[in-house]
Every structure is written in C-alpha cells, then in structure tokens.
Amino acid sequence: MKLFLDTADRKAIEKWSKTGIIDGVTTNPSHLSKEGSNPQQVVKDICQMLPHGDISVEITETTQKSVYEQAHAIAKIATNVVVKIPCHVDYYEIINQLVKDGIKINVTLVFTLIQSTFMAKLGVKYISPFVGRWDDIDVEGGELLFEIRSMFDRYNYQTELLAASLRGVRHLHTAILAGADAVTLPIDVLEKTMSHPLTNQGMDKFLTDWQKLGIKQFPQ
Ligand code: E4P
C-alpha cells in the first residue's frame, strides 16, 4: 500500500519522508494556498524531495480548453507529477484525451461507486474517494472503499484506489481493511497513527525493570 502525505508543507514532507514509509504527496489548491505566492516552486521542491514518489497537483482552471492545457503544463513541472482533476461531468472528455496523451491522472472529489467505475473505464492512474466529507454529512464514508475495491477486482481495472479525506485512525484502519492501493494522510493524522499509548507504557515498564539491575553499560 502506498502512503501519501496530504499537505504541501515542505518542512513536514522533508521530516516525515525520512521515515521511509512515504511514497508521495497529494497537494490541493487549499494546501498550496497556505504555502505562499509561488506554488510552482513549492511543487518543484516537493517533487525533488521525493523524486521516486507520485506528487499530485490539482488543476485550477475551469473551462475544458484551459483545463486541458493546464493539465499538460502541470505534467511538465516534473516527471513524477500526477495531475489531479475533479470528477466533474464537464471533464470526462478532457480526462479521456489526457489519458490518451499519456498524462498520469488522479481523479479527485470522487463520492460514488458509479463515478469510480466511469473513471476506471477511462483508465486514470488513481481515483480519490473522499471518506471524511461523506462522514461530515453523516453518511458512512468508509463503506465506499469496500465497494470500489470489489468493483475494481471484479472488472480487473488497473486504476488504483487512493483513499482520501482521511481524518483519523479509524479512517486509516478502514482504508487498509478495504484494500486501498494508496492512502493520503494529513500530518496530524499520520502522527496519531504512528504512536500508541500502550507502546509508550510498555517501553516505560521495560526500562524501569531494567534500571533495577543498576548496570551502566550493556553489552559490556
Ligand atoms: C486529497 O487528495 C485531498 O487533498 C484531501 O484528502 C481532502 O481532505 P479533506 O476532506 O480533509 O479536506
């Protein structure tokens, strides 16, 4: 399973990529708008930090022609860029053409099994179902991941299931159980999922017991 960071914060990306478990980054216009007035440089820096990772960068144009042109321009920023395009009815034709052009696409803002099926038919690299935003309106978002996994496997689609809008440990647990090919996590969620109070408690107990021996150096 690939693990992406859901942020454009370069310091955080640099820090957490050293753990060896990070496979890329999913930026979005909200993340990039927090990082100052030169988003292109921010994206270039992130692409250099993780040269073998997939770095998703979202389109910000809206008309079909401008989205098509911008997608090509974004893809040229670096070889590891994946162009993020919302799953909007107006963009099907563009996505179809971009896939034929060889552009790697992450279709974002996916909310249904049917949207996922249509995008897999177009052959995009990733689809990003938004689990947390379903939960925000009191609908169980995790169930969608199981449905998409089962559909991908039944039809043998090559598109990868990227679980997005994950807001906590329970969401990540569900995404792994559902068999997501990739997950993207905000930094605070990553931190929460990496530590456990019983691990800390167990370490304290082992250390306290060990110190009773009064040994200065081990092994000698
Ligand atoms: C994913 O690509 C999105 O950037 C992100 O997961 C959205 O998460 P949110 O619903 O918490 O904003």
Side-chain angles (χ1 to χ4, degrees):
M1 186 194 71
K2 295 178 194 170
L3 173 53
F4 298 145
L5 293 176
D6 201 8
T7 183
D9 178 341
R10 284 166 288 184
K11 278 204 179 109
I13 295 165
E14 192 178 16
K15 174 180 170 186
W16 291 103
S17 57
K18 288 181 187 149
T19 59
I21 57 172
I22 306 303
D23 302 293
V25 171
T26 57
T27 69
N28 64 33
S30 304
H31 294 328
L32 283 169
S33 73
K34 290 185 202 144
E35 304 302 316
S37 57
N38 193 346
Q40 184 162 347
Q41 189 56 49
V42 175
V43 168
K44 276 187 184 167
D45 292 346
I46 296 172
C47 288
Q48 276 174 10
M49 279 176 202
L50 284 163
H52 304 295
D54 280 340
I55 314 299
S56 289
V57 181
E58 192 158 338
I59 54 117
T60 51
E61 295 291 336
T62 50
T63 66
Q64 289 190 337
K65 186 173 180 292
S66 58
V67 167
Y68 178 75
E69 286 168 2
Q70 190 187 25
H72 270 279
I74 289 173
K76 284 196 186 91
I77 295 177
T79 52
N80 53 337
V81 161
V82 177
V83 182
K84 225 174 174 187
I85 302 184
C87 193
H88 190 277
V89 60
D90 290 350
Y91 301 155
Y92 275 65
E93 197 182 326
I94 303 302
I95 292 169
N96 186 32
Q97 187 53 53
L98 288 167
V99 170
K100 287 184 179 140
D101 295 345
I103 304 290
K104 288 176 283 181
I105 296 174
N106 172 2
V107 175
T108 189
L109 290 163
V110 169
F111 289 94
T112 70
L113 176 68
I114 296 170
Q115 285 180 316
S116 310
T117 311
F118 291 166
M119 287 301 140
K121 275 178 70 76
L122 293 182
V124 300
K125 182 163 176 63
Y126 297 106
I127 52 142
S128 293
F130 274 36
V131 175
R133 293 198 194 185
W134 265 129
D135 285 3
D136 289 344
I137 54 166
D138 284 335
V139 177
E140 167 55 50
E143 192 52 37
L144 178 61
L145 301 178
F146 288 90
E147 294 173 359
I148 298 169
R149 175 79 277 153
S150 142
M151 177 271 291
F152 276 5
D153 293 346
R154 186 171 316 122
Y155 295 115
N156 203 21
Y157 287 131
Q158 299 310 302
T159 296
E160 293 177 54
L161 167 55
L162 196 180
S165 185
L166 303 180
R167 309 269 179 74
V169 179
R170 187 180 56 86
H171 278 162
L172 178 59
H173 188 92
T174 303
I176 295 169
L177 267 186
D181 298 297
V183 297
T184 187
L185 293 183
I187 301 297
D188 63 319
V189 177
L190 176 73
E191 283 175 328
K192 272 188 214 145
T193 55
M194 285 176 83
S195 57
H196 196 281
L198 288 178
T199 305
N200 302 343
Q201 213 175 300
M203 284 170 69
D204 288 345
K205 171 87 172 76
F206 286 148
L207 199 59
T208 308
D209 290 344
W210 178 253
Q211 281 163 349
K212 286 178 196 158
L213 278 176
I215 293 172
K216 281 212 173 78
Q217 195 182 321
F218 174 77
Q220 304 270 331

PDB file of all heavy atoms in Angstrom, residues 6-7 26-31 56 58 84 106 108-109 128-133 136 162-167 184-186, ligand 1:
ATOM      1  N   ASP A   6      -0.823  14.281   2.817  1.00  0.00           N
ATOM      2  CA  ASP A   6      -1.857  15.186   2.308  1.00  0.00           C
ATOM      3  C   ASP A   6      -1.555  16.603   2.786  1.00  0.00           C
ATOM      4  O   ASP A   6      -2.163  17.098   3.744  1.00  0.00           O
ATOM      5  CB  ASP A   6      -3.221  14.697   2.851  1.00  0.00           C
ATOM      6  CG  ASP A   6      -4.391  15.195   2.029  1.00  0.00           C
ATOM      7  OD1 ASP A   6      -4.169  15.784   0.961  1.00  0.00           O
ATOM      8  OD2 ASP A   6      -5.537  14.975   2.463  1.00  0.00           O
ATOM      9  N   THR A   7      -0.599  17.225   2.136  1.00  0.00           N
ATOM     10  CA  THR A   7      -0.106  18.533   2.572  1.00  0.00           C
ATOM     11  C   THR A   7       0.778  19.114   1.478  1.00  0.00           C
ATOM     12  O   THR A   7       1.167  18.391   0.560  1.00  0.00           O
ATOM     13  CB  THR A   7       0.736  18.380   3.863  1.00  0.00           C
ATOM     14  OG1 THR A   7       1.154  19.666   4.319  1.00  0.00           O
ATOM     15  CG2 THR A   7       1.979  17.529   3.645  1.00  0.00           C
ATOM     16  N   THR A  26      -0.048  14.360  -1.872  1.00  0.00           N
ATOM     17  CA  THR A  26      -1.215  14.867  -2.608  1.00  0.00           C
ATOM     18  C   THR A  26      -1.430  16.320  -2.177  1.00  0.00           C
ATOM     19  O   THR A  26      -1.838  16.574  -1.052  1.00  0.00           O
ATOM     20  CB  THR A  26      -2.494  14.050  -2.310  1.00  0.00           C
ATOM     21  OG1 THR A  26      -2.749  14.045  -0.909  1.00  0.00           O
ATOM     22  CG2 THR A  26      -2.381  12.622  -2.814  1.00  0.00           C
ATOM     23  N   THR A  27      -1.088  17.234  -3.080  1.00  0.00           N
ATOM     24  CA  THR A  27      -1.392  18.639  -2.777  1.00  0.00           C
ATOM     25  C   THR A  27      -2.794  18.924  -3.308  1.00  0.00           C
ATOM     26  O   THR A  27      -3.370  18.126  -4.048  1.00  0.00           O
ATOM     27  CB  THR A  27      -0.390  19.604  -3.446  1.00  0.00           C
ATOM     28  OG1 THR A  27      -0.596  19.579  -4.865  1.00  0.00           O
ATOM     29  CG2 THR A  27       1.049  19.221  -3.138  1.00  0.00           C
ATOM     30  N   ASN A  28      -3.325  20.039  -2.888  1.00  0.00           N
ATOM     31  CA  ASN A  28      -4.566  20.548  -3.491  1.00  0.00           C
ATOM     32  C   ASN A  28      -4.495  22.065  -3.419  1.00  0.00           C
ATOM     33  O   ASN A  28      -3.590  22.613  -2.763  1.00  0.00           O
ATOM     34  CB  ASN A  28      -5.818  19.940  -2.820  1.00  0.00           C
ATOM     35  CG  ASN A  28      -5.967  20.307  -1.367  1.00  0.00           C
ATOM     36  OD1 ASN A  28      -5.586  21.403  -0.946  1.00  0.00           O
ATOM     37  ND2 ASN A  28      -6.515  19.400  -0.572  1.00  0.00           N
ATOM     38  N   PRO A  29      -5.395  22.801  -4.062  1.00  0.00           N
ATOM     39  CA  PRO A  29      -5.286  24.265  -4.043  1.00  0.00           C
ATOM     40  C   PRO A  29      -5.337  24.837  -2.620  1.00  0.00           C
ATOM     41  O   PRO A  29      -4.684  25.846  -2.328  1.00  0.00           O
ATOM     42  CB  PRO A  29      -6.492  24.718  -4.881  1.00  0.00           C
ATOM     43  CG  PRO A  29      -6.721  23.580  -5.827  1.00  0.00           C
ATOM     44  CD  PRO A  29      -6.436  22.344  -5.024  1.00  0.00           C
ATOM     45  N   SER A  30      -6.083  24.193  -1.728  1.00  0.00           N
ATOM     46  CA  SER A  30      -6.143  24.686  -0.339  1.00  0.00           C
ATOM     47  C   SER A  30      -4.775  24.541   0.326  1.00  0.00           C
ATOM     48  O   SER A  30      -4.292  25.471   0.987  1.00  0.00           O
ATOM     49  CB  SER A  30      -7.188  23.908   0.479  1.00  0.00           C
ATOM     50  OG  SER A  30      -8.442  23.967  -0.128  1.00  0.00           O
ATOM     51  N   HIS A  31      -4.131  23.379   0.145  1.00  0.00           N
ATOM     52  CA  HIS A  31      -2.798  23.182   0.748  1.00  0.00           C
ATOM     53  C   HIS A  31      -1.803  24.195   0.178  1.00  0.00           C
ATOM     54  O   HIS A  31      -1.029  24.808   0.918  1.00  0.00           O
ATOM     55  CB  HIS A  31      -2.253  21.780   0.432  1.00  0.00           C
ATOM     56  CG  HIS A  31      -3.024  20.656   1.056  1.00  0.00           C
ATOM     57  ND1 HIS A  31      -3.669  20.760   2.255  1.00  0.00           N
ATOM     58  CD2 HIS A  31      -3.236  19.381   0.632  1.00  0.00           C
ATOM     59  CE1 HIS A  31      -4.241  19.599   2.549  1.00  0.00           C
ATOM     60  NE2 HIS A  31      -4.003  18.751   1.577  1.00  0.00           N
ATOM     61  N   SER A  56       0.810  14.650  -6.490  1.00  0.00           N
ATOM     62  CA  SER A  56      -0.418  15.110  -7.147  1.00  0.00           C
ATOM     63  C   SER A  56      -0.549  16.624  -7.057  1.00  0.00           C
ATOM     64  O   SER A  56      -0.381  17.212  -5.989  1.00  0.00           O
ATOM     65  CB  SER A  56      -1.646  14.481  -6.483  1.00  0.00           C
ATOM     66  OG  SER A  56      -1.736  13.114  -6.763  1.00  0.00           O
ATOM     67  N   GLU A  58      -3.200  19.719  -8.411  1.00  0.00           N
ATOM     68  CA  GLU A  58      -4.565  19.881  -8.951  1.00  0.00           C
ATOM     69  C   GLU A  58      -4.679  21.040  -9.943  1.00  0.00           C
ATOM     70  O   GLU A  58      -4.034  22.087  -9.769  1.00  0.00           O
ATOM     71  CB  GLU A  58      -5.520  20.113  -7.766  1.00  0.00           C
ATOM     72  CG  GLU A  58      -6.983  19.999  -8.153  1.00  0.00           C
ATOM     73  CD  GLU A  58      -7.866  19.684  -6.942  1.00  0.00           C
ATOM     74  OE1 GLU A  58      -7.349  19.155  -5.927  1.00  0.00           O
ATOM     75  OE2 GLU A  58      -9.061  19.962  -7.024  1.00  0.00           O
ATOM     76  N   LYS A  84      -4.114  16.254 -10.867  1.00  0.00           N
ATOM     77  CA  LYS A  84      -5.362  15.989 -10.145  1.00  0.00           C
ATOM     78  C   LYS A  84      -6.499  16.754 -10.824  1.00  0.00           C
ATOM     79  O   LYS A  84      -6.402  17.971 -11.018  1.00  0.00           O
ATOM     80  CB  LYS A  84      -5.186  16.525  -8.728  1.00  0.00           C
ATOM     81  CG  LYS A  84      -5.650  15.624  -7.630  1.00  0.00           C
ATOM     82  CD  LYS A  84      -5.251  16.298  -6.310  1.00  0.00           C
ATOM     83  CE  LYS A  84      -5.777  15.576  -5.141  1.00  0.00           C
ATOM     84  NZ  LYS A  84      -5.522  16.327  -3.905  1.00  0.00           N
ATOM     85  N   ASN A 106      -4.925  11.755 -11.327  1.00  0.00           N
ATOM     86  CA  ASN A 106      -5.572  11.390 -10.070  1.00  0.00           C
ATOM     87  C   ASN A 106      -6.927  12.107 -10.076  1.00  0.00           C
ATOM     88  O   ASN A 106      -6.974  13.330  -9.987  1.00  0.00           O
ATOM     89  CB  ASN A 106      -4.688  11.854  -8.897  1.00  0.00           C
ATOM     90  CG  ASN A 106      -5.359  11.706  -7.546  1.00  0.00           C
ATOM     91  OD1 ASN A 106      -6.484  11.221  -7.438  1.00  0.00           O
ATOM     92  ND2 ASN A 106      -4.672  12.151  -6.502  1.00  0.00           N
ATOM     93  N   THR A 108     -10.011  13.436  -8.466  1.00  0.00           N
ATOM     94  CA  THR A 108     -10.295  13.805  -7.082  1.00  0.00           C
ATOM     95  C   THR A 108     -11.777  14.135  -6.896  1.00  0.00           C
ATOM     96  O   THR A 108     -12.528  14.206  -7.870  1.00  0.00           O
ATOM     97  CB  THR A 108      -9.373  14.983  -6.676  1.00  0.00           C
ATOM     98  OG1 THR A 108      -9.497  15.212  -5.274  1.00  0.00           O
ATOM     99  CG2 THR A 108      -9.711  16.268  -7.424  1.00  0.00           C
ATOM    100  N   LEU A 109     -12.181  14.293  -5.638  1.00  0.00           N
ATOM    101  CA  LEU A 109     -13.578  14.611  -5.299  1.00  0.00           C
ATOM    102  C   LEU A 109     -14.523  13.542  -5.853  1.00  0.00           C
ATOM    103  O   LEU A 109     -15.549  13.850  -6.473  1.00  0.00           O
ATOM    104  CB  LEU A 109     -13.942  16.018  -5.795  1.00  0.00           C
ATOM    105  CG  LEU A 109     -13.250  17.160  -5.033  1.00  0.00           C
ATOM    106  CD1 LEU A 109     -13.318  18.471  -5.807  1.00  0.00           C
ATOM    107  CD2 LEU A 109     -13.831  17.354  -3.637  1.00  0.00           C
ATOM    108  N   SER A 128      -9.612   9.210  -6.208  1.00  0.00           N
ATOM    109  CA  SER A 128      -9.573   9.570  -4.786  1.00  0.00           C
ATOM    110  C   SER A 128     -10.977   9.753  -4.212  1.00  0.00           C
ATOM    111  O   SER A 128     -11.550  10.845  -4.284  1.00  0.00           O
ATOM    112  CB  SER A 128      -8.800  10.888  -4.608  1.00  0.00           C
ATOM    113  OG  SER A 128      -7.448  10.731  -4.926  1.00  0.00           O
ATOM    114  N   PRO A 129     -11.565   8.688  -3.645  1.00  0.00           N
ATOM    115  CA  PRO A 129     -12.828   8.851  -2.935  1.00  0.00           C
ATOM    116  C   PRO A 129     -12.594   9.575  -1.608  1.00  0.00           C
ATOM    117  O   PRO A 129     -11.643   9.264  -0.896  1.00  0.00           O
ATOM    118  CB  PRO A 129     -13.310   7.414  -2.710  1.00  0.00           C
ATOM    119  CG  PRO A 129     -12.125   6.547  -2.896  1.00  0.00           C
ATOM    120  CD  PRO A 129     -11.109   7.284  -3.711  1.00  0.00           C
ATOM    121  N   PHE A 130     -13.463  10.533  -1.281  1.00  0.00           N
ATOM    122  CA  PHE A 130     -13.303  11.380  -0.088  1.00  0.00           C
ATOM    123  C   PHE A 130     -14.135  10.824   1.063  1.00  0.00           C
ATOM    124  O   PHE A 130     -15.330  11.117   1.181  1.00  0.00           O
ATOM    125  CB  PHE A 130     -13.738  12.810  -0.416  1.00  0.00           C
ATOM    126  CG  PHE A 130     -12.659  13.672  -1.015  1.00  0.00           C
ATOM    127  CD1 PHE A 130     -11.719  13.152  -1.889  1.00  0.00           C
ATOM    128  CD2 PHE A 130     -12.593  15.028  -0.708  1.00  0.00           C
ATOM    129  CE1 PHE A 130     -10.728  13.948  -2.442  1.00  0.00           C
ATOM    130  CE2 PHE A 130     -11.605  15.840  -1.252  1.00  0.00           C
ATOM    131  CZ  PHE A 130     -10.674  15.303  -2.122  1.00  0.00           C
ATOM    132  N   VAL A 131     -13.502  10.059   1.917  1.00  0.00           N
ATOM    133  CA  VAL A 131     -14.210   9.395   3.023  1.00  0.00           C
ATOM    134  C   VAL A 131     -14.752  10.412   4.051  1.00  0.00           C
ATOM    135  O   VAL A 131     -15.925  10.399   4.402  1.00  0.00           O
ATOM    136  CB  VAL A 131     -13.250   8.391   3.720  1.00  0.00           C
ATOM    137  CG1 VAL A 131     -13.902   7.768   4.949  1.00  0.00           C
ATOM    138  CG2 VAL A 131     -12.818   7.313   2.726  1.00  0.00           C
ATOM    139  N   GLY A 132     -13.880  11.307   4.509  1.00  0.00           N
ATOM    140  CA  GLY A 132     -14.264  12.232   5.586  1.00  0.00           C
ATOM    141  C   GLY A 132     -15.401  13.163   5.209  1.00  0.00           C
ATOM    142  O   GLY A 132     -16.223  13.521   6.052  1.00  0.00           O
ATOM    143  N   ARG A 133     -15.449  13.546   3.928  1.00  0.00           N
ATOM    144  CA  ARG A 133     -16.500  14.508   3.548  1.00  0.00           C
ATOM    145  C   ARG A 133     -17.874  13.848   3.498  1.00  0.00           C
ATOM    146  O   ARG A 133     -18.892  14.516   3.622  1.00  0.00           O
ATOM    147  CB  ARG A 133     -16.142  15.207   2.239  1.00  0.00           C
ATOM    148  CG  ARG A 133     -14.931  16.100   2.446  1.00  0.00           C
ATOM    149  CD  ARG A 133     -14.743  17.146   1.391  1.00  0.00           C
ATOM    150  NE  ARG A 133     -13.393  17.708   1.525  1.00  0.00           N
ATOM    151  CZ  ARG A 133     -12.941  18.717   0.817  1.00  0.00           C
ATOM    152  NH1 ARG A 133     -13.708  19.293  -0.079  1.00  0.00           N
ATOM    153  NH2 ARG A 133     -11.715  19.156   0.995  1.00  0.00           N
ATOM    154  N   ASP A 136     -18.803  13.909   7.135  1.00  0.00           N
ATOM    155  CA  ASP A 136     -19.223  15.264   7.527  1.00  0.00           C
ATOM    156  C   ASP A 136     -20.728  15.454   7.387  1.00  0.00           C
ATOM    157  O   ASP A 136     -21.317  16.275   8.080  1.00  0.00           O
ATOM    158  CB  ASP A 136     -18.542  16.330   6.630  1.00  0.00           C
ATOM    159  CG  ASP A 136     -17.057  16.454   6.913  1.00  0.00           C
ATOM    160  OD1 ASP A 136     -16.610  15.966   7.962  1.00  0.00           O
ATOM    161  OD2 ASP A 136     -16.350  17.046   6.070  1.00  0.00           O
ATOM    162  N   LEU A 162      -7.216   5.275  -4.199  1.00  0.00           N
ATOM    163  CA  LEU A 162      -6.462   6.135  -3.284  1.00  0.00           C
ATOM    164  C   LEU A 162      -7.455   6.714  -2.264  1.00  0.00           C
ATOM    165  O   LEU A 162      -8.254   7.602  -2.603  1.00  0.00           O
ATOM    166  CB  LEU A 162      -5.797   7.258  -4.094  1.00  0.00           C
ATOM    167  CG  LEU A 162      -4.673   8.098  -3.497  1.00  0.00           C
ATOM    168  CD1 LEU A 162      -4.197   9.135  -4.522  1.00  0.00           C
ATOM    169  CD2 LEU A 162      -4.972   8.771  -2.198  1.00  0.00           C
ATOM    170  N   ALA A 163      -7.433   6.192  -1.054  1.00  0.00           N
ATOM    171  CA  ALA A 163      -8.392   6.654  -0.040  1.00  0.00           C
ATOM    172  C   ALA A 163      -7.983   8.042   0.451  1.00  0.00           C
ATOM    173  O   ALA A 163      -6.884   8.233   0.960  1.00  0.00           O
ATOM    174  CB  ALA A 163      -8.441   5.671   1.122  1.00  0.00           C
ATOM    175  N   ALA A 164      -8.885   9.019   0.280  1.00  0.00           N
ATOM    176  CA  ALA A 164      -8.570  10.413   0.621  1.00  0.00           C
ATOM    177  C   ALA A 164      -9.561  10.959   1.644  1.00  0.00           C
ATOM    178  O   ALA A 164     -10.539  10.296   1.984  1.00  0.00           O
ATOM    179  CB  ALA A 164      -8.589  11.265  -0.646  1.00  0.00           C
ATOM    180  N   SER A 165      -9.254  12.167   2.106  1.00  0.00           N
ATOM    181  CA  SER A 165     -10.085  12.814   3.134  1.00  0.00           C
ATOM    182  C   SER A 165     -10.190  11.904   4.358  1.00  0.00           C
ATOM    183  O   SER A 165     -11.268  11.685   4.901  1.00  0.00           O
ATOM    184  CB  SER A 165     -11.462  13.144   2.537  1.00  0.00           C
ATOM    185  OG  SER A 165     -12.266  13.853   3.427  1.00  0.00           O
ATOM    186  N   LEU A 166      -9.028  11.374   4.761  1.00  0.00           N
ATOM    187  CA  LEU A 166      -8.971  10.507   5.951  1.00  0.00           C
ATOM    188  C   LEU A 166      -8.642  11.403   7.142  1.00  0.00           C
ATOM    189  O   LEU A 166      -7.640  12.110   7.132  1.00  0.00           O
ATOM    190  CB  LEU A 166      -7.907   9.418   5.782  1.00  0.00           C
ATOM    191  CG  LEU A 166      -8.061   8.506   4.563  1.00  0.00           C
ATOM    192  CD1 LEU A 166      -6.951   7.468   4.515  1.00  0.00           C
ATOM    193  CD2 LEU A 166      -9.423   7.815   4.547  1.00  0.00           C
ATOM    194  N   ARG A 167      -9.491  11.363   8.138  1.00  0.00           N
ATOM    195  CA  ARG A 167      -9.363  12.341   9.234  1.00  0.00           C
ATOM    196  C   ARG A 167      -8.887  11.753  10.554  1.00  0.00           C
ATOM    197  O   ARG A 167      -8.741  12.481  11.530  1.00  0.00           O
ATOM    198  CB  ARG A 167     -10.726  13.011   9.461  1.00  0.00           C
ATOM    199  CG  ARG A 167     -11.380  13.569   8.216  1.00  0.00           C
ATOM    200  CD  ARG A 167     -10.987  15.005   7.996  1.00  0.00           C
ATOM    201  NE  ARG A 167     -11.594  15.528   6.780  1.00  0.00           N
ATOM    202  CZ  ARG A 167     -12.882  15.846   6.668  1.00  0.00           C
ATOM    203  NH1 ARG A 167     -13.720  15.675   7.689  1.00  0.00           N
ATOM    204  NH2 ARG A 167     -13.337  16.327   5.532  1.00  0.00           N
ATOM    205  N   THR A 184      -3.948   8.745   1.597  1.00  0.00           N
ATOM    206  CA  THR A 184      -3.253  10.006   1.815  1.00  0.00           C
ATOM    207  C   THR A 184      -3.667  10.552   3.171  1.00  0.00           C
ATOM    208  O   THR A 184      -4.854  10.567   3.517  1.00  0.00           O
ATOM    209  CB  THR A 184      -3.492  11.008   0.666  1.00  0.00           C
ATOM    210  OG1 THR A 184      -2.648  12.138   0.883  1.00  0.00           O
ATOM    211  CG2 THR A 184      -4.946  11.442   0.513  1.00  0.00           C
ATOM    212  N   LEU A 185      -2.645  10.965   3.946  1.00  0.00           N
ATOM    213  CA  LEU A 185      -2.901  11.360   5.336  1.00  0.00           C
ATOM    214  C   LEU A 185      -2.372  12.763   5.628  1.00  0.00           C
ATOM    215  O   LEU A 185      -1.219  13.071   5.313  1.00  0.00           O
ATOM    216  CB  LEU A 185      -2.170  10.416   6.296  1.00  0.00           C
ATOM    217  CG  LEU A 185      -2.608   8.963   6.387  1.00  0.00           C
ATOM    218  CD1 LEU A 185      -1.782   8.256   7.441  1.00  0.00           C
ATOM    219  CD2 LEU A 185      -4.091   8.863   6.720  1.00  0.00           C
ATOM    220  N   PRO A 186      -3.191  13.592   6.302  1.00  0.00           N
ATOM    221  CA  PRO A 186      -2.653  14.851   6.811  1.00  0.00           C
ATOM    222  C   PRO A 186      -1.599  14.531   7.882  1.00  0.00           C
ATOM    223  O   PRO A 186      -1.653  13.450   8.489  1.00  0.00           O
ATOM    224  CB  PRO A 186      -3.869  15.543   7.446  1.00  0.00           C
ATOM    225  CG  PRO A 186      -5.063  14.776   7.024  1.00  0.00           C
ATOM    226  CD  PRO A 186      -4.603  13.409   6.623  1.00  0.00           C
TER     227      PRO A 186
HETATM  228  C1  E4P B   1      -6.964  14.510  -1.224  1.00  0.00           C
HETATM  229  O1  E4P B   1      -6.354  14.442  -2.248  1.00  0.00           O
HETATM  230  C2  E4P B   1      -7.470  15.754  -0.628  1.00  0.00           C
HETATM  231  O2  E4P B   1      -6.462  16.720  -0.733  1.00  0.00           O
HETATM  232  C3  E4P B   1      -7.803  15.612   0.837  1.00  0.00           C
HETATM  233  O3  E4P B   1      -7.704  14.263   1.259  1.00  0.00           O
HETATM  234  C4  E4P B   1      -9.058  16.271   1.246  1.00  0.00           C
HETATM  235  O4  E4P B   1      -9.265  16.064   2.615  1.00  0.00           O
HETATM  236  P1  E4P B   1     -10.308  16.925   3.459  1.00  0.00           P
HETATM  237  O5  E4P B   1     -11.697  16.451   3.125  1.00  0.00           O
HETATM  238  O6  E4P B   1      -9.971  16.622   4.898  1.00  0.00           O
HETATM  239  O7  E4P B   1     -10.089  18.362   3.090  1.00  0.00           O
END
